[in-house]
């Protein structure tokens, strides 16, 4: 936790097996619906990291 003004309040992390899994996740109906709801109440920063 950080009290700095530039800090975010929370984050969500997903660990997927490969890029095709990321593609399936991004197009899944649950994800699409959830993303629409979160956009209404939160600022987004997205980072994709490939190990």
């Amino acid at each position: 936790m950080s009290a700095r003004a530039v800090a975010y309040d929370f984050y969500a992390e997903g660990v997927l097996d490969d890029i095709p899994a990321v593609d399936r996740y991004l197009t899944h109906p649950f994800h699409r619906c959830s993303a629409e709801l979160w956009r209404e109440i939160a600022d987004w920063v997205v980072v994709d990291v490939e190990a």
Side-chain angles (χ1 to χ4, degrees), residues 9-20:
D9 294 328
F10 61 91
Y11 82 102
E13 180 178 339
V15 178
L16 298 139
D17 292 330
D18 51 29
I19 296 301

Side-chain angles (χ1 to χ4, degrees), residues 3-49:
R4 297 184 325 150
V6 297
Y8 291 95
D9 294 328
F10 61 91
Y11 82 102
E13 180 178 339
V15 178
L16 298 139
D17 292 330
D18 51 29
I19 296 301
V22 173
D23 294 337
R24 289 190 303 275
Y25 168 75
L26 292 175
T27 59
H28 191 279
F30 177 79
H31 170 73
R32 310 251 334 159
C33 180
S34 299
E36 287 179 30
L37 295 172
W38 275 109
R39 277 190 191 102
E40 294 179 16
I41 62 170
D43 294 326
W44 285 38
V45 174
V46 176
V47 177
D48 293 331
V49 176

